[in-house]
Amino acid sequence: MALVGGIEAGGTKFVCAIGDHTGEIRERIEIPTTVPEETMEEVIRFFQAYDIEAIGIGSFGPIDVNRESPTYGSITSTPKPGWRNYPIVTKMKEHFNVPMGFHTDVNAAALGEGTYGAAKGLNSCLYMTVGTGIGAGALVGGKLLQGYSHPEMGHILIRRHPEDHYQGKCPYHIDCFEGLAAGPAIEARYGVKAHELEERSDVWELEAYYIAQALMNFILILSPQKIILGGGVMKQRQVFPKIRTQLENVLKGYVDTPNLQDYIVSPGLGSNSGIIGSLILADQALHGN
């Protein structure tokens, strides 16, 4: 059975794994995301110890996924210091002459959840992470959603809550979805990290207000068969019922949805959605998919 490598390249850490086409992880390490020279040296050293036939990379973005582009395989306009315009696929190809799959970390997670996780057996799903940033990936008709580029659903514009006077955290758009609802926005608004606000019902009502608006947009545009919410902020499980209630409030019965208890769920693969999806990207690259 062919061994493949997977990289879940995150803004805080890189998860690297060795596995196979079934998504089984044989070996796994986590590497802090510092500057490219330090992080990538450790990534390369890890994979050099194995005879791998392909590599899949699910990366934080924005990234260039257009194979006709001269900057294909690069992390592009990220605010992450040192990583802007970094050619991560080219760097890996300098050391590994194997097929490589490349997509966003959230699209990789959607692929993992659609293949082996909460959306297994369905041909569409939406995976959204709410953490240091907000991003979403989607499977539509069994394929990852991609046009001239990849989705950037974390940066849609949503209505501000009338009692929310926090200006927003996004360095590009200030008060887009990510700017109002990601982990850093919660911390800036209240002065402490989200996990320290577990007992504050008002905090999670506001968070649900913003997340429900975003989900309404995605439901109306994509009509996914399952919505999976991951990331550090979504470990606050008390927010899920609030999201479902707020979603009913904003949809107002305009479209039918499945039972929301079963429709809006946590990742079936836990924290492994992205890395398992990256192994699947590697297997797809190996077989020319």
Side-chain angles (χ1 to χ4, degrees):
M1 187 177 292
L3 287 181
V4 297
I7 302 172
E8 182 184 8
T12 302
K13 64 184 178 183
F14 274 47
V15 180
C16 300
I18 301 296
D20 58 40
H21 75 277
T22 69
E24 179 183 350
I25 297 172
R26 309 285 185 88
E27 298 290 340
R28 168 192 169 119
I29 63 167
E30 296 183 1
I31 300 166
T33 306
T34 56
V35 295
E37 294 76 16
E38 293 177 352
T39 301
M40 294 304 296
E41 182 179 356
E42 293 191 49
V43 169
I44 291 161
R45 186 184 301 120
F46 171 74
F47 287 114
Q48 284 176 331
Y50 300 92
D51 183 18
I52 53 176
E53 298 190 30
I55 295 173
I57 304 170
S59 176
F60 68 94
I63 61 176
D64 188 345
V65 294
N66 180 1
R67 290 184 176 273
E68 305 304 316
S69 169
T71 57
Y72 168 75
S74 295
I75 299 169
T76 59
S77 54
T78 178
K80 182 74 176 174
W83 292 89
R84 188 180 181 93
N85 298 321
Y86 182 75
I88 187 169
V89 171
T90 298
K91 183 66 176 178
M92 292 298 292
K93 282 188 173 291
E94 290 174 1
H95 298 271
F96 305 98
N97 185 27
V98 297
M100 293 192 187
F102 183 59
H103 232 294
T104 62
D105 49 357
V106 283
N107 255 350
L111 184 60
E113 287 293 324
T115 307
Y116 297 117
K120 181 179 180 180
L122 305 177
N123 71 3
S124 70
C125 70
L126 177 86
Y127 176 92
M128 186 169 78
T129 184
V130 184
T132 304
I134 296 179
L139 281 178
V140 178
K143 297 183 180 298
L144 289 175
L145 182 61
Q146 178 182 331
Y148 75 89
S149 186
H150 56 80
E152 276 290 353
M153 295 186 238
H155 292 265
I156 64 170
L157 300 180
I158 55 178
R159 294 174 178 171
R160 176 184 289 274
H161 192 284
E163 296 178 10
D164 183 19
H165 304 295
Y166 171 63
Q167 68 171 9
K169 189 74 172 175
C170 176
Y172 286 93
H173 314 115
I174 302 177
D175 61 352
C176 63
F177 180 31
E178 179 176 292
L180 292 172
I186 296 173
E187 182 177 357
R189 188 185 282 112
Y190 299 104
V192 295
K193 293 185 180 297
H195 67 83
E196 299 178 56
L197 295 162
E198 185 174 351
E199 304 301 323
R200 288 274 304 271
S201 179
D202 60 318
V203 172
W204 304 110
E205 290 289 349
L206 181 62
E207 187 71 3
Y209 176 87
Y210 289 133
I211 292 173
Q213 283 190 66
L215 294 186
M216 174 179 169
N217 289 327
F218 304 149
I219 289 167
L220 294 179
I221 295 168
L222 299 175
S223 195
Q225 292 173 293
K226 185 81 74 174
I227 293 175
I228 302 144
L229 303 181
V233 172
M234 299 313 302
K235 291 179 180 178
Q236 300 293 323
R237 299 299 298 275
Q238 72 276 13
V239 75
F240 276 82
K242 298 180 187 299
I243 292 169
R244 296 180 187 115
T245 299
Q246 294 272 14
L247 181 58
E248 287 183 327
N249 290 342
V250 293
L251 278 174
K252 298 185 184 299
Y254 180 67
V255 294
D256 290 330
T257 61
N259 181 286
L260 294 185
Q261 190 75 27
D262 300 321
Y263 184 52
I264 300 172
V265 299
S266 296
L269 300 175
S271 61
N272 287 326
S273 306
I275 191 60
I276 290 176
S278 297
L279 292 174
I280 299 170
L281 285 174
D283 187 69
Q284 290 180 345
L286 179 62
H287 294 95
N289 296 332

